[in-house]
Amino acid sequence: MGRLGDWMGTRTRAWLFLGTMFQALCSLAAALLLWKGGQSGGFRPTDGPAWNNPEGYAAIAFASASMGLQGIMAKRLNTEFATTIVLTAVWCELVADPELFKLRLVKSRDFKVLAVLALFLGGFIGRALLDKIGAAPTFLIGAGLRLLIAAWWLIVRGTGQIPIEEEK
């Protein structure tokens, strides 16, 4: 999928839409495999071994593919919201920002702070969902959110500063 982005252009709406749809399909496949395989997620000590059947391992593969493509797409867009790659990298960039302690608005620093806070909030919400409804429905919710994001790529207009369409 990443090579398709090289061919189509990594900032074209078509690639952003198709890549996000592929992420959604991978998340949906993970949810269905977890449900079919009867995997609880193995997130509690009383659950026993995690991912102990072929469906569980396939679910890990689909979830990893989805997250990997998300990281590639975020990196190619080159925004401050690329926390999906590695939180440590964004954190290091944040604390190394020379304007970290300025009391005025600093766009690059403020977006990094927002991205880190959003990542932590998402982690807490994801964990609460896992405890309440289980792994398969949580992946299903994630797939639904990715479908919404894919639709947004088709309707959100680009700004003059960050063009979505590449010039050929």
Side-chain angles (χ1 to χ4, degrees):
M1 194 71 199
R3 295 295 159 219
L4 181 63
D6 289 340
W7 179 74
M8 294 176 72
T10 57
R11 289 180 175 244
T12 60
R13 288 185 189 276
W15 184 71
L16 294 170
F17 172 76
L18 288 174
T20 307
M21 285 298 292
F22 187 75
Q23 292 172 41
L25 290 174
C26 286
S27 296
L28 178 63
L32 292 174
L33 286 163
L34 288 172
W35 171 71
K36 183 186 178 305
Q39 296 286 300
S40 65
F43 300 111
R44 292 181 202 92
T46 58
D47 286 344
W51 322 110
N52 56 5
N53 61 26
E55 291 89 356
Y57 284 109
I60 290 174
F62 278 109
S64 296
S66 177
M67 291 171 51
L69 182 57
Q70 181 176 340
I72 290 168
M73 291 178 73
K75 191 68 176 166
R76 295 276 177 91
L77 288 173
N78 197 25
T79 69
E80 286 84 9
F81 297 103
T83 57
T84 58
I85 304 220
V86 178
L87 173 61
T88 309
V90 175
W91 180 257
C92 289
E93 289 175 11
L94 174 64
V95 297
D97 193 323
E99 300 189 52
L100 178 63
F101 296 110
K102 301 283 186 195
L103 296 179
R104 60 182 170 77
L105 293 176
V106 179
K107 192 175 181 180
S108 64
R109 176 211 54 204
D110 296 344
F111 280 157
K112 288 175 188 149
V113 169
L114 181 63
V116 169
L117 291 175
L119 182 69
F120 276 105
L121 180 64
F124 287 124
I125 290 171
R127 182 62 208 188
L129 285 171
L130 280 171
D131 284 343
K132 207 65 160 157
I133 61 176
T138 301
F139 269 102
L140 195 58
I141 290 170
L145 290 172
R146 289 181 193 274
L147 287 173
L148 286 173
I149 293 168
W152 281 335
W153 282 125
L154 295 177
I155 59 175
V156 172
R157 295 193 179 253
T159 65
Q161 296 172 333
I162 305 173
I164 295 295
E165 301 291 334
E166 279 188 354
E167 293 182 20
K168 301 231 174 184

